[in-house]
Every structure is written in C-alpha cells, then in structure tokens.
Amino acid sequence: MNLEETEQKVKEIIVSSLDLEDVSPSDIDTEAPLFGEGLGLDSIDALELGMAIKREFGISFSKDPAENKRIFRSVRTLAGHIAEQKQ
C-alpha cells in the first residue's frame, strides 16, 4: 500500500470509526489538523481513532504524549507513521 492509498484508508477509518455523518473521506484535507481548528476531533475521538488504526494496520503508538500529538496532527502524519511501522 503506497502513501496515497494509506491516506485514503485513514480518511475512511476516520469517517467510519467516528460516525461522522456529515463528512465523507473526500471532504477531509490530508494536511489539515485533525484536532482543534481542522477536523475538530477531541481526545475521545483520538482514543477511538487510535484503536481503529491499531486494528486495521496492526501498529503501535508511542507512550509519549508529545510524539502522539505529532503523529495525529493530520492524515498525512498519521499515514506516514503507519508506513514507518509497516517497514
């Protein structure tokens, strides 16, 4: 799976795992922040999304909150982390 395919899959997981009724994967900007001003996700969403990503890709996340904040900054950074873990 290349980076673009991973980004698309992450967008699909965001929409399905968080039940975003008014958002489609194509509505999500790959570079936009997932939390705060961007997509507007919160800490509960982060936990649900993290669990869904772990189930789908079989990867792990850091125990360091600052590192996880960097990983979950955008679809692009999340897909990049997935690609690194899959190597």
Side-chain angles (χ1 to χ4, degrees):
M1 183 178 285
N2 67 31
L3 189 59
E4 283 185 19
E5 291 169 333
T6 303
E7 290 170 351
Q8 182 59 34
K9 186 65 179 173
V10 168
K11 290 177 183 184
E12 292 168 5
I13 291 169
I14 289 169
V15 171
S16 65
S17 69
L18 302 179
D19 293 325
L20 301 180
E21 296 174 5
D22 298 333
V23 178
S24 72
S26 61
D27 294 335
I28 300 173
D29 182 344
T30 305
E31 291 291 332
L34 293 176
F35 301 91
E37 295 176 16
L39 197 53
L41 303 182
D42 62 23
S43 59
I44 301 294
D45 295 329
L47 291 172
E48 290 181 28
L49 179 56
M51 290 180 1
I53 294 289
K54 284 173 97 169
R55 275 193 306 272
E56 178 68 29
F57 294 101
I59 64 163
S60 61
F61 294 100
S62 174
K63 295 195 185 306
D64 177 17
E67 179 66 11
N68 286 330
K69 188 173 182 177
R70 183 197 65 77
I71 291 168
F72 281 86
R73 188 188 73 72
S74 68
V75 169
R76 171 116 340 125
T77 57
L78 189 50
H81 178 73
I82 293 165
E84 287 173 10
Q85 291 282 312
K86 289 303 218 174
Q87 289 182 6

